Amino acid sequence: MKTVRKLTPSKSADPTRKISLTVNGETVEREVSVRMLLSDFIRHELGLTGTHVGCEHGICGACTIIVNGESSRSCTILAVQSDGMDLRTIESVAEKGGCLHPIQQAFQDNHALQCGYCTPGMIMNIISEFESNSKIDTSEESIRELLSGNLCRCTGYANIVEAVRDAAERMGKN
Amino acid sequence: MSTRTFGTRVKRNIDPKFLRGEGSYVDDIDLPGVLHATFVRSPFARAKISKIDVQDALSMEGVMAIYTCDNIGKLDIELPLLIPHDCMKDARTQRPLARDDVYYVGQTVAMVVAINRYVAEDAALLVDVDYEPLPVEVDLEKAVLDSAPLVHPTHPKNIAADLVQVSGDPEAAMLKADHVTKIRVEVERSTAASMETRSVAARYDRVSGELTVWDGTQAPLTVRGGLASIFEMDEDKVRVIAPDVGGGFGQKVMFPYPDELLVPMAAMELGYPVKFIEDRRENFIGSNQERKQIHDIELYATKDGEVLALKDFFLHDTGAFIPYGIAIAQVASTSIAGPYQIPNIHVQFQAVYTPTITITPYRGCGRPQACFAIERAMDQLADDLGMSRFEIRRKNLIADDQFPYVREGLMFADGLRVSMDSGQYQTALDMVEEKIGAKDFPKLQEQARSEGKHLGLGLAFYVEGTGLGPYEGGHIKIHPITGKVYVNTGLSGQGQGHDTVFAQIVADQLGVKVEDVILTEGDSGAFDWGVATFASRAAVVSGNAIHKTAIIVRKKTIVAAANMLEVGEDEVELRDGHAWVVNSNRCVSLAAVATATNPLRYAFNEAAKAATQFAPASKHDGPALDDGQSPGLEATDYFSPACATWAYGVHAAIIEVDDVTCSAKVVKYVLIHDCGNMINPTIVEGQVMGGLAQGIAGTLYEKIEIDEDGNITNANFVDFLVPYATEIPPVEIYHLETPSPLNPLGVKGVGEAGCIAVGATIASGLADALEKFNKPKFLSLPITPSMIFDVISDEAQN
């Protein structure tokens, strides 16, 4: 027998603030709960689910995005803190329906991903490094250091190291 | 013929989606109006619950419902024992929500459903539970003493299962031995730590009565069967989909975790979609773990190193419950003799209840523990007899002409006797000896020692029973409009690249591009016969099922194309998405063949015209489909392996010990690996390398720390040390390919291979490096800097 469906409250008792920011080049204005994490805001309010959440305590790097040009973990930032900021997420990296970014292409060509969960965070971190340095030190040790903010449980990293080296070559950064 | 893609390094079909951030994991699925669940969990390892008061929590704004054992109706049960076995009496399993008793820290006591996770967690804190704590013993060895408090009053000495297996006549063989080597080894508890935690979402359609569940599981069809059975619903009203899953490694194979029942229940009851996305702490305290075993292993040998008998007794920590039966202990006990022709084996284990999170498989499933025991024992035997570690192994390895090598009396985890089907063990050992540079190593070691450095060579062999039954299926259909090939199988992927390797298998039969083969797996709405992803079985079991199916579709396609092209069947070849008359430029596309085999009334597009009733090529002298004939180019078939197929490999490493940090540095790591015919070497290497990284993790970094009250004290990524890129060394991987005689593709599993031998290899290398220190040599995992310090510092004091 069907029972009467309970009414869902439209919102919680949390206080909210209005924020305005740029996400992937678009201006976004939203009313957000003051305790909402930026990662949740991006994923569930904006529907950009390519940014993943792996630990919510700033260790795994899966939620890495680019905030004002620097790679940052979106799980340790509150959405209200992002007011006025410029955010870029994995969704902005490839051309829509078109070519993959050379770093993304290098990941596919070198089998640098398996389950794909850590991949967007990895890529955003690498992009940020590539953009802020004219040359990338492609020594084994240095690439591993560059990747040392992102956990991957599937690949054992070897192919990610190769992908970074390959991408640096493709982009003339080596 | 088309170029064969089997065995080539084809790029993965699925990658562009993941790289663009367009993957669709459970928490990404758009469910408007979705409610969020979270759990109240026990803070005690063992306690009586005297009262649960939910009133304050329930009155919070935004809270929709709170469930305890008293309002979950038919779910208030002990959950199923998934793999029964006679050696367990009255096996204990968990209840979805605790009733009267809690058995480990983290056990689910109540579920809160609210409009978002933030509110749900606030409300969970307001659920008032009164506990009366009971004494606990979490130490595995102490748990079996008469004095230990019982986890379950039903089980004296906390023993959940006790099994002896015997092969040959060990008692007689022991008497003939000149020498016995006895060691005790121990492997600590660890966890899968997939990057995506476990997650489940459910939606109930009140009009159609259909329940849809998205579950980050390795066993969607089992989940479907379980839900239908427990909820007493028709199976076709329950659809379970494992969407993209962010790693599994065994933790996601067991069903049901409490949330997998309670979330669908809440969705049905509340009439809104509900989801539970586990956070990282919950994954540590609420999702199953593996590894803790203590082995006492004895090797009985002649003075020239031939092992006549093996005796092993081990304790296996099964946690508070044993829903997955004895699978892990059974795999460990039947893998205990490794690659060696030891004809006489006595192996016994006791699975022990401890008031800790339940133990079910994590990548390796008992094999790393067994490998650590036998390989450390072989090293010790070599030392005892003054032989080299290569020599002792060479002396005892199963020879190529001894396959299939049967261990009569040992029953593997598939319920069948251990029969190792094929391999080139001696060749593998020779290869690793050469690749690691064993011949020149003594000189290198000597030189290092003269410079005050400690350098050691480590070595370990492993075997892996893979590709277990009972069966999997494949369904293939060539789409009449696009000519693309749709493939289904029942098990699910967690990043292995099934979509690509299965596409390669199909592409070879049908002459289409790998990227034109589209796999849907792990969706009971697409294909609902099958079992699950575990024990390195997807390529073996689903792979061969899909291969067999593709052969049927190929045959159908050729028959139909020959008819259309008006030539004999032997004059048709399939390539480039077309059926060709051999040695001509006459062809017809697979789309057209698929259309023509589907007798139509309506010409919905140009190609369809050819299949309509008045078209010249249509049949006009009887029914459009003969008795027994089916429309289209489509087939379903199954593969059920005769028994497990045994992969194997050997690892060698050069390890340097840093005196100051007491850390182990991997200078060089080489591994030889044989998983039979490789469908895609790039994917095989990815699996091996990923497994190896988890092996390094379990060897040098990861351990679940449990205090004496049963609290996990490192339930986060700050304290539980999952390695970054900086902790994993480069590795040289070499392949042997000994085809399995047990399946048409000649493949063996590879999923777990990489992790099995790492602990034994690094321990072996460390023992060699620190040989001059007269100390027990690295007989437990993980190996911490303190353990290295203990070896080195005594010498310093001397």
Side-chain angles (χ1 to χ4, degrees):
Chain A
M1 194 188 81
K2 284 181 193 174
T3 50
V4 175
R5 190 154 71 171
K6 265 172 101 175
L7 193 64
T8 42
S10 59
K11 55 186 215 155
S12 72
D14 288 357
T16 60
R17 291 280 183 284
K18 194 169 178 185
I19 57 170
S20 170
L21 65 160
T22 309
V23 179
N24 298 338
E26 261 184 75
T27 304
V28 170
E29 282 190 11
R30 289 285 196 284
E31 188 86 18
V32 295
S33 153
V34 292
R35 61 170 168 170
M36 179 178 280
L37 298 179
L38 182 56
S39 49
D40 283 345
F41 175 72
I42 292 167
R43 291 175 46 74
H44 301 309
E45 300 294 310
L46 304 184
L48 300 173
T49 53
T51 299
H52 298 149
V53 173
C55 70
E56 288 182 307
H57 51 271
I59 301 297
C60 79
C63 67
T64 303
I65 60 168
I66 298 178
V67 179
N68 293 342
E70 278 184 35
S71 66
S72 309
R73 282 143 159 61
S74 60
C75 78
T76 52
I77 303 171
L78 295 169
V80 284
Q81 289 176 285
S82 70
D83 187 31
M85 288 180 174
D86 178 58
L87 311 188
R88 284 158 61 202
T89 69
I90 187 68
E91 285 85 354
S92 69
V93 174
E95 292 169 30
K96 272 227 156 47
C99 293
L100 294 175
H101 184 282
I103 294 173
Q104 291 172 315
Q105 193 58 56
F107 263 60
Q108 183 182 19
D109 293 349
N110 291 280
H111 185 31
L113 65 154
Q114 290 183 26
C115 81
Y117 202 78
C118 73
T119 310
M122 284 269 181
I123 299 223
M124 296 317 284
N125 177 36
I126 297 164
I127 286 180
S128 150
E129 289 289 327
F130 273 44
E131 286 178 353
S132 44
N133 295 288
S134 55
K135 292 284 172 201
I136 296 293
D137 179 351
T138 55
S139 68
E140 183 83 19
E141 201 181 2
S142 174
I143 295 177
R144 284 180 185 270
E145 196 57 43
L146 183 157
L147 296 171
S148 68
N150 294 79
L151 288 177
C152 168
R153 194 59 162 169
C154 296
T155 64
Y157 302 106
N159 289 342
I160 301 176
V161 173
E162 276 313 307
V164 172
R165 192 173 286 134
D166 187 4
E169 266 173 44
R170 288 170 199 229
M171 296 169 72
K173 292 259 181 191
N174 58 332
Chain B
M1 273 300 283
S2 285
T3 314
R4 194 169 133 95
T5 67
F6 189 105
T8 63
R9 295 179 178 273
V10 176
K11 281 191 257 180
R12 301 204 319 169
N13 283 347
I14 203 168
D15 286 356
K17 177 177 93 164
F18 285 157
L19 288 160
R20 293 172 201 275
E22 292 167 2
S24 153
Y25 306 85
V26 172
D27 195 31
D28 302 339
I29 289 161
D30 197 17
L31 294 167
V34 71
L35 302 172
H36 296 249
T38 192
F39 288 90
V40 177
R41 293 172 184 276
S42 170
F44 294 103
R46 191 70 182 83
K48 290 270 175 204
I49 295 175
S50 51
K51 189 196 80 182
I52 304 176
D53 182 350
V54 302
Q55 279 319 308
D56 286 354
L58 206 48
S59 62
M60 251 191 76
E61 190 174 351
V63 173
M64 292 290 288
I66 297 178
Y67 297 96
T68 67
C69 62
D70 288 329
N71 62 345
I72 56 172
K74 55 194 165 202
L75 294 191
D76 183 31
I77 48 167
E78 288 189 2
L79 294 170
L81 167 65
L82 293 171
I83 311 177
H85 190 283
D86 279 350
C87 75
M88 289 176 288
K89 298 281 176 280
D90 194 17
R92 310 310 307 190
T93 59
Q94 188 175 335
R95 307 178 86 89
L97 294 173
R99 172 171 287 286
D100 302 332
D101 284 87
V102 286
Y103 297 88
Y104 63 90
V105 174
Q107 186 178 345
T108 45
V109 174
M111 181 172 84
V112 178
V113 182
I115 59 159
N116 62 45
R117 173 82 188 203
Y118 298 80
V119 174
E121 288 192 18
D122 286 352
L125 288 173
L126 292 181
V127 174
D128 188 13
V129 186
D130 286 352
Y131 298 94
E132 294 162 21
L134 297 168
V136 293
E137 182 54 76
V138 296
D139 182 278
L140 179 57
E141 286 175 281
K142 291 181 187 159
V144 294
L145 300 178
D146 285 330
S147 55
L150 298 180
V151 178
H152 304 283
T154 44
H155 286 74
K157 295 187 175 195
N158 291 310
I159 291 172
D162 189 333
L163 184 68
V164 177
Q165 296 194 76
V166 176
S167 186
D169 185 353
E171 295 300 324
M174 286 172 197
L175 294 174
K176 292 185 197 144
D178 303 317
H179 174 82
V180 54
T181 286
K182 300 184 183 189
I183 59 168
R184 160 170 280 214
V185 304
E186 188 169 346
V187 178
E188 275 300 344
R189 188 184 275 243
S190 190
T191 190
S194 53
M195 295 313 299
E196 185 200 21
T197 53
R198 289 192 320 94
S199 49
V200 59
R203 182 176 60 199
Y204 182 64
D205 185 320
R206 287 162 67 101
V207 176
S208 68
E210 285 170 350
L211 172 68
T212 306
V213 178
W214 294 266
D215 190 342
T217 177
Q218 295 172 228
L221 296 186
T222 309
V223 174
R224 200 276 297 260
L227 288 174
S229 149
I230 293 168
F231 289 124
E232 295 170 9
M233 292 172 73
D234 289 341
E235 275 188 291
D236 72 341
K237 294 289 189 195
V238 183
R239 180 179 178 188
V240 176
I241 304 166
D244 294 324
V245 177
F249 316 118
Q251 189 184 60
K252 298 175 180 175
V253 76
M254 193 210 67
F255 164 86
Y257 284 95
D259 46 271
E260 289 176 297
L261 294 175
L262 295 166
V263 166
M265 177 207 70
M268 286 193 283
E269 188 175 292
L270 298 173
Y272 294 98
V274 178
K275 70 176 165 185
F276 167 66
I277 309 298
E278 190 183 60
D279 71 19
R280 186 53 62 182
R281 175 173 165 76
E282 289 177 298
N283 184 260
F284 275 103
I285 66 169
S287 286
N288 300 353
Q289 302 170 347
E290 204 216 292
R291 288 289 192 268
K292 177 83 183 192
Q293 285 180 358
I294 302 171
H295 288 251
D296 284 296
I297 184 169
E298 305 171 1
L299 297 180
Y300 293 82
T302 63
K303 59 181 179 299
D304 58 353
E306 183 188 346
V307 180
L308 302 176
L310 179 159
K311 189 171 184 188
D312 183 45
F313 172 82
F314 68 95
L315 294 176
H316 168 77
D317 182 353
T318 193
F321 299 101
I322 194 164
Y324 212 73
I326 57 164
I328 299 162
Q330 192 165 25
V331 168
S333 61
T334 47
S335 307
I336 193 68
Y340 307 112
Q341 40 173 310
I342 303 175
N344 304 294
I345 298 167
H346 182 284
V347 57
Q348 178 182 8
F349 66 79
Q350 289 178 336
V352 181
Y353 289 121
T354 59
T356 58
I357 178 79
T358 298
I359 297 295
T360 58
Y362 158 43
R363 195 179 205 168
C365 183
R367 298 173 185 89
Q369 300 95 311
C371 176
F372 192 65
I374 179 67
E375 290 301 284
R376 296 306 293 128
M378 289 303 269
D379 276 11
Q380 186 62 50
L381 179 62
D383 284 355
D384 291 351
L385 299 177
M387 295 171 75
S388 90
R389 287 168 294 165
F390 287 93
E391 202 183 342
I392 195 83
R393 287 174 171 82
R394 197 162 278 125
K395 181 108 197 157
N396 289 286
L397 284 176
I398 296 166
D400 297 3
D401 60 6
Q402 288 179 300
F403 292 106
Y405 189 86
V406 176
R407 297 198 197 277
E408 205 69 62
L410 301 194
M411 191 181 278
F412 195 53
D414 52 3
L416 303 167
R417 67 181 186 170
V418 172
S419 174
M420 296 150 92
D421 53 292
S422 58
Q424 306 169 63
Y425 294 180
Q426 299 279 355
T427 307
L429 187 64
D430 293 346
M431 268 176 84
V432 88
E433 191 173 20
E434 189 224 315
K435 299 291 185 191
I436 197 69
K439 213 170 82 190
D440 299 329
F441 181 72
K443 224 185 300 167
L444 217 60
Q445 189 177 37
E446 202 46 50
Q447 191 192 334
R449 282 178 179 162
S450 70
E451 294 163 12
K453 291 185 194 160
H454 311 292
L455 206 61
L457 189 152
L459 176 70
F461 218 111
Y462 69 92
V463 293
E464 186 197 359
T466 73
L468 280 62
Y471 82 97
E472 291 295 337
H475 169 252
I476 299 177
K477 179 177 178 181
I478 300 178
H479 199 284
I481 294 177
T482 60
K484 290 194 180 185
V485 183
Y486 290 79
V487 179
N488 306 121
T489 191
L491 53 67
S492 61
Q494 302 82 42
Q496 297 92 332
H498 294 169
D499 69 315
T500 306
V501 292
F502 294 161
Q504 287 176 254
I505 290 167
V506 172
D508 284 355
Q509 290 302 324
L510 300 182
V512 296
K513 287 191 214 143
V514 171
E515 55 266 38
D516 285 339
V517 181
I518 295 151
L519 176 76
T520 300
E521 59 179 338
D523 176 353
S524 70
F527 190 80
D528 69 351
W529 294 108
V531 186
T533 302
F534 62 94
S536 307
R537 70 192 291 275
V540 180
V541 192
S542 275
N544 279 291
I546 287 166
H547 172 70
K548 286 173 69 188
T549 311
I551 289 172
I552 300 170
V553 175
R554 172 188 173 80
K555 173 98 180 120
K556 282 189 179 181
T557 307
I558 287 176
V559 169
N563 186 37
M564 290 171 81
L565 294 162
E566 297 176 318
V567 294
E569 287 164 26
D570 55 356
E571 289 173 85
V572 175
E573 65 174 349
L574 304 182
R575 67 181 147 84
D576 304 331
H578 289 69
W580 299 79
V581 177
V582 287
N583 301 323
S584 83
N585 57 3
R586 288 183 59 214
C587 71
V588 54
S589 75
L590 290 197
V593 181
T595 300
T597 53
N598 178 25
L600 292 173
R601 177 160 180 80
Y602 307 112
F604 49 77
N605 68 11
E606 198 57 35
K609 275 187 196 169
T612 52
Q613 287 156 305
F614 302 104
S618 296
K619 200 170 163 189
H620 303 289
D621 56 352
L625 290 176
D626 290 331
D627 265 359
Q629 200 183 1
S630 53
L633 299 173
E634 183 176 20
T636 302
D637 202 358
Y638 300 88
F639 178 70
S640 183
C643 65
T645 178
W646 289 70
Y648 67 93
V650 54
H651 292 201
I654 295 176
I655 309 289
E656 186 179 338
V657 177
D658 184 317
D659 276 28
V660 179
T661 59
C662 289
S663 59
K665 185 186 171 200
V666 177
V667 179
K668 181 173 177 168
Y669 203 108
V670 172
L671 71 88
I672 314 296
H673 172 258
D674 187 346
C675 60
N677 293 330
M678 289 189 285
I679 304 169
N680 185 328
T682 300
I683 285 178
V684 166
E685 286 160 9
Q687 286 294 309
V688 171
M689 189 62 219
L692 184 122
Q694 284 180 357
I696 299 265
T699 302
L700 296 173
Y701 301 100
E702 294 173 357
K703 174 190 173 186
I704 294 289
E705 303 275 2
I706 304 179
D707 71 13
E708 59 184 22
D709 295 325
N711 300 295
I712 296 177
T713 57
N714 60 344
N716 59 68
F717 278 167
V718 180
D719 300 311
F720 181 86
L721 304 173
V722 177
Y724 289 105
T726 35
E727 279 72 57
I728 301 299
V731 174
E732 296 172 30
I733 300 173
Y734 300 95
H735 302 287
L736 280 169
E737 286 186 86
T738 315
S740 169
L742 297 174
N743 61 70
L745 293 172
V747 296
K748 303 179 180 185
V750 63
E752 295 166 281
C755 75
I756 300 170
V758 182
T761 304
I762 290 178
S764 170
L766 279 167
D768 187 42
L770 303 177
E771 186 193 23
K772 68 170 181 169
F773 303 99
N774 193 23
K775 282 300 218 57
K777 294 302 194 299
F778 302 105
L779 299 175
S780 64
L781 294 176
I783 297 162
T784 60
S786 324
M787 288 160 65
I788 295 174
F789 175 80
D790 286 345
V791 173
I792 295 176
S793 62
D794 273 17
E795 178 70 12
Q797 282 166 12
N798 294 344

